[in-house]
Amino acid sequence: MNEKMSIMIVDDEMIVRESFLHWFKRGGHRVDAAASGMEALKKLEESAFDLMFVDIKMPGMSGIELLEKVKAEYPETIVVIITAYGSIESAVQAMKIGAADYLLKPFKPDQLSLVMEKIAQQRKLAKEYNYLKGRLEHMSRFENIIGQSDAMQELFQLIPEVADSDASVLLIGETGTGKEMVAKAIHARSRRANYPFIAINCGAIPDSLLESELFGHQKGAFTSAVQSRKGFIEVVSGGTLFLDEIGEISTKMQVDLLRVLQEKKITRVGSTQSVEVDFRLISATSRDLEEQLSNRSFREDFYYRINVIEIQIPPLRKRKEDIPLLVNHFLNKFSHETTKHVDHVSREAEMLLKNYDWPGNVRELENAIERAVVLSKSRTLNASDFAFLCAQPTGGSPGRSLFDMERTHIELVMTECDWNISQAAKILGIHRATLHKKINMYGLKRDN
């Protein structure tokens, strides 16, 4: 009983509340009491409690109902059920919901001491777990990139090696995999870290404007050139230029950039004077450049010039073990930004997120968590908070059939409805008999 805790006693019998208050205050704990479940929930909204002793039989809201609400909204609060009407059924039910212990009234001080010692040990283990979890998360970060999968660990090892040189780098990966973050990480570890990092999305700028943006122009070079301007290649001097979606640029622009990379000089649009430049080029693409080489829309000499070092960035569907880590990261981020206390994801929701293919990769996952946090009305995100994912096509992601998707969706709805066939059939919009057939066909069983 050395660890001091904040404790709430919830019992409609005043004598029980006063006995607990007296006993725990002697131990130096902060203690409060509530005569009903509703009063307890109101106190929880105002202040956090480490431990609650909850009577089962109370008017209005039973202790089991209160336990369910506390575990859903305040999962870190430990709850011990107390009752004068104990039964195996209620004990099993309480432990299944998440009660830490189940005490029969009347109990002796020695029994209460044993419970407190057990809870203190649980809290100690929880702290050690959180510490190790924090260490793991720290080890799973590189700059702002998160991942503990083998593929990401290999990437983390590669980045410092690549950063040491000045060789051109080509990052290959689907949209939303974090190519720009990898480029920034390489820049941050390089000798150019104290100079600018400029990122340009080549696919978002028309070719006619891209030339002026990269090389700059002289006053009067074209109608809107009312004054001379440096291009990004001059502005980034000493630093790193990141050209995203390099596969979108024209063959003329490929020739112009190839000349810059070979001669380390540029000529502004409308000028005849060349300017020496010093920068490192990191390119990225989500397109198949080798296919572009074969149909001659991408020049071979330019391809080999920008692809001195090639780095493949894996899509999220191939590193699903990173999803819980990323979910936790985005949950903390958006809970902080929205000042909403959303800090947990239910087991069903986590299963849904891990089963989804994420055609938009990490960016799509981040958007999904942000949307769920903004719209959530509880501390825990449930599978229903991500129903919009089930309604969207997976964009042709390989490896998932319609069979798989329907099976997963039915399983999620059944879990959400606590295997109430009528309720689940209503949500799914099918007859109960049809749902029974599908449950048998997919071999779904209640997870007890």
Side-chain angles (χ1 to χ4, degrees):
M1 292 198 45
N2 292 328
E3 186 185 16
K4 307 306 177 195
M5 287 187 270
S6 53
I7 301 171
M8 190 189 334
I9 317 302
V10 189
D11 199 308
D12 58 331
E13 293 183 65
M14 185 184 292
I15 190 169
V16 175
R17 296 198 302 273
E18 289 184 347
S19 298
F20 268 102
L21 286 168
H22 178 68
W23 196 82
F24 283 121
K25 278 183 178 176
R26 273 198 313 168
H29 300 285
R30 180 175 74 83
V31 198
D32 202 345
S36 69
M38 292 305 295
E39 187 183 349
L41 290 175
K42 193 172 179 182
K43 286 180 181 288
L44 277 168
E45 287 178 7
E46 296 165 355
S47 181
F49 287 87
D50 302 315
L51 173 61
M52 293 175 69
F53 286 87
V54 176
D55 188 26
I56 286 187
K57 286 202 172 183
M58 292 185 291
M61 181 187 297
S62 74
I64 295 296
E65 288 175 292
L66 177 59
L67 170 65
E68 285 180 325
K69 290 182 184 295
V70 170
K71 296 318 288 184
E73 297 293 320
Y74 312 97
E76 291 178 359
T77 299
I78 298 170
V79 179
V80 173
I81 293 293
I82 53 176
T83 181
Y85 307 94
S87 67
I88 293 174
E89 289 77 14
S90 64
V92 169
Q93 187 183 8
M95 300 308 276
K96 277 181 69 177
I97 295 171
D101 215 327
Y102 185 93
L103 285 178
L104 288 175
K105 298 180 190 174
F107 39 81
K108 297 176 182 176
D110 286 350
Q111 286 178 278
L112 202 51
S113 295
L114 284 173
V115 170
M116 292 300 288
E117 284 177 18
K118 178 182 166 185
I119 288 169
Q121 184 64 22
Q122 284 180 358
R123 283 170 56 82
K124 182 183 175 188
L125 290 173
K127 283 180 182 176
E128 288 175 356
Y129 168 77
N130 289 330
Y131 170 75
L132 292 172
K133 186 180 172 188
R135 286 285 305 273
L136 178 63
E137 288 180 0
H138 179 71
M139 290 167 64
S140 302
R141 283 173 177 268
F142 191 97
E143 303 295 338
N144 289 317
I145 310 168
I146 295 171
Q148 61 184 9
S149 60
D150 291 344
M152 295 308 288
Q153 292 299 313
E154 286 176 15
L155 181 62
F156 294 168
Q157 290 179 11
L158 186 60
I159 287 173
E161 296 174 12
V162 171
D164 279 344
S165 81
D166 244 2
S168 297
V169 177
L170 178 62
L171 304 175
I172 298 177
E174 296 175 8
T175 300
T177 48
K179 296 187 287 296
E180 184 170 337
M181 293 180 76
V182 173
K184 284 180 177 175
I186 294 171
H187 171 73
R189 295 290 179 118
S190 74
R191 68 176 179 84
R192 298 177 180 274
N194 293 327
Y195 294 91
F197 173 91
I198 294 179
I200 298 172
N201 186 339
C202 299
I205 304 175
D207 209 51
S208 55
L209 282 180
L210 187 60
E211 183 181 19
S212 172
E213 291 292 315
L214 289 176
F215 304 130
H217 59 256
Q218 289 295 105
K219 180 180 179 181
F222 42 86
T223 307
S224 59
V226 292
Q227 60 185 8
S228 297
R229 207 194 78 175
K230 287 183 177 180
F232 286 126
I233 294 178
E234 275 189 85
V235 174
V236 81
S237 181
T240 302
L241 181 68
F242 174 59
L243 296 182
D244 198 4
E245 298 303 343
I246 192 79
E248 302 290 334
I249 66 173
S250 67
T251 50
K252 178 187 178 303
M253 184 57 67
Q254 293 170 33
V255 172
D256 292 343
L257 279 171
L258 178 62
R259 188 177 299 120
V260 173
L261 291 171
Q262 289 174 335
E263 298 177 1
K264 304 292 183 189
K265 291 179 182 177
I266 62 159
T267 303
R268 293 181 189 172
V269 177
S271 173
T272 55
Q273 298 293 317
S274 61
V275 180
E276 289 191 1
V277 290
D278 172 30
F279 71 102
R280 182 185 197 178
L281 179 66
I282 300 179
S283 311
T285 182
S286 58
R287 298 180 62 172
D288 186 347
L289 290 188
E290 292 191 0
E291 183 183 335
Q292 288 185 257
L293 288 172
S294 63
N295 64 29
R296 298 181 181 279
S297 63
F298 208 83
R299 290 178 62 96
E300 193 170 331
D301 49 2
F302 182 60
Y303 173 74
Y304 288 114
R305 192 73 193 187
I306 64 171
N307 190 18
V308 177
I309 299 173
E310 179 179 307
I311 297 177
Q312 298 274 351
I313 303 176
L316 191 54
R317 66 177 175 279
K318 291 191 176 178
R319 56 181 186 103
K320 290 195 171 183
E321 60 267 51
D322 291 334
I323 288 177
L325 206 60
L326 288 162
V327 167
N328 192 49
H329 169 72
F330 293 133
L331 203 56
N332 291 334
K333 174 183 174 182
F334 294 119
S335 295
H336 178 72
E337 286 183 4
T338 61
T339 64
K340 295 181 72 173
H341 298 294
V342 183
D343 49 15
H344 285 79
V345 175
S346 72
R347 188 177 62 82
E348 292 77 18
E350 185 175 312
M351 185 173 72
L352 184 151
L353 297 175
K354 290 180 80 171
N355 283 334
Y356 187 66
D357 276 344
W358 301 109
N361 291 293
V362 179
R363 189 178 299 146
E364 185 185 7
L365 174 62
E366 181 176 9
N367 292 344
I369 300 296
E370 181 177 14
R371 172 178 167 159
V373 169
V374 169
L375 299 178
S376 175
K377 291 181 173 55
S378 71
R379 287 183 64 172
T380 301
L381 296 182
N382 296 302
S384 56
D385 292 310
F386 298 100
F388 58 92
L389 293 176
C390 299
Q392 292 175 3
T394 54
S397 299
R400 294 214 74 201
S401 64
L402 186 60
F403 181 96
D404 292 332
M405 291 175 65
E406 185 176 68
R407 185 186 190 284
T408 301
H409 186 58
I410 290 175
E411 189 173 23
L412 283 169
V413 172
M414 291 302 297
T415 305
E416 283 289 298
C417 298
D418 197 24
W419 280 75
N420 183 313
I421 295 288
S422 298
Q423 190 180 348
K426 188 175 180 182
I427 292 172
L428 292 166
I430 58 178
H431 195 273
R432 292 177 79 254
T434 306
L435 180 54
H436 270 298
K437 286 181 184 176
K438 287 182 179 292
I439 288 171
N440 291 332
M441 180 178 76
Y442 291 125
L444 299 177
K445 291 180 182 175
R446 188 171 191 160
D447 183 16
N448 285 319

